[in-house]
Amino acid sequence: MRTGTEISKKPRGRPRAFVAAEVLDRVRVVFLEKGFAAASVDELAAAAGLNRPSLYAAFGDKEQLYIHTLRFYGKKSVEGLDSVLAGPGTVEQRLARAYKTAIDLYTAPPHRLGCMIVGTAAVESPTHPRIAAVASELLAAIEKSLEQAFAASDLAPEPSPAARARMAGAIMYAIAIRARLGARPAELRAFAASMVPVICR
């Protein structure tokens, strides 16, 4: 019996099985490196380890593949943030750990390409409304996670948890942009550390 994440294809009579999450993780790197528009289907198929018909059959056209990848990446990001924010310590300490986790992800070698949502989806959103919709949903989920952490803290009621979440999210996106532009991890950590007291004042 196959699991829900394992997909079986039969090109030219031979069964071809693959794990969708592994494919999406590989094509994510191509989209991060080149963006949606510049990534060719041949490059994506090569990264996936599939031929073009199998890739289309499993994930649809390039935009649909991108959206599958964006949702996959976004879900992992939100789950990771939820886990950090549910951990021990004050909300200031947990927010600082969330930023450190994000910085480690955004600057991980060899790619150091920042966040897929901010770095690639925002560029395509004006001409690809379906990409814009998914990216907006994911940013809202990130801010909702932050808002819940602030609401459960002992911080002053003003600014509101929602306002603090928007500020904290904005710093997360700024970190992603700076990482994509080549900022060093130490610079990003210093930037984040300077902003935590502002958000949690």
Side-chain angles (χ1 to χ4, degrees), residues 91-159:
V91 70
E92 292 95 330
Q93 292 168 333
R94 286 177 277 135
L95 181 60
R97 286 199 297 272
Y99 285 145
K100 180 183 181 303
T101 300
I103 291 166
D104 290 345
L105 174 65
Y106 298 159
T107 61
H111 307 295
R112 306 177 188 273
L113 294 175
C115 169
M116 185 176 179
I117 302 168
V118 177
T120 68
V123 176
E124 305 301 334
S125 291
T127 53
H128 294 272
R130 290 193 296 174
I131 291 176
V134 173
S136 295
E137 289 172 8
L138 294 173
L139 293 185
I142 289 170
E143 291 181 6
K144 186 66 175 177
S145 179
L146 291 162
E147 181 181 351
Q148 289 172 342
F150 289 126
S153 74
D154 58 358
L155 296 177
E158 294 295 335

Side-chain angles (χ1 to χ4, degrees), residues 165-200:
R166 288 192 291 271
M167 287 190 287
I171 298 305
M172 188 81 75
Y173 316 146
I175 290 170
I177 292 168
R178 289 171 181 235
R180 193 165 177 87
L181 292 175
R184 294 176 299 174
E187 296 172 16
L188 297 174
R189 286 193 289 270
F191 171 67
S194 73
M195 297 310 300
V196 169
V198 177
I199 297 165
C200 299

Side-chain angles (χ1 to χ4, degrees), residues 44-109:
L44 294 166
L50 299 170
N51 58 35
R52 290 177 61 148
S54 293
L55 192 65
Y56 283 130
F59 300 103
D61 63 18
K62 188 170 83 165
E63 184 182 64
Q64 290 172 312
L65 174 61
Y66 179 88
I67 288 172
H68 278 296
T69 307
L70 185 61
R71 287 191 184 280
F72 168 74
Y73 169 83
K75 182 175 183 289
K76 288 179 65 176
S77 297
V78 173
E79 287 174 350
L81 180 61
D82 286 343
S83 177
V84 172
L85 292 177
T90 65
V91 70
E92 292 95 330
Q93 292 168 333
R94 286 177 277 135
L95 181 60
R97 286 199 297 272
Y99 285 145
K100 180 183 181 303
T101 300
I103 291 166
D104 290 345
L105 174 65
Y106 298 159
T107 61

Side-chain angles (χ1 to χ4, degrees), residues 19-30 32 47 69 72-73 76:
V19 177
E22 294 177 359
V23 170
L24 294 175
D25 201 40
R26 292 195 293 266
V27 300
R28 177 184 65 88
V29 176
V30 178
L32 268 170
T69 307
F72 168 74
Y73 169 83
K76 288 179 65 176

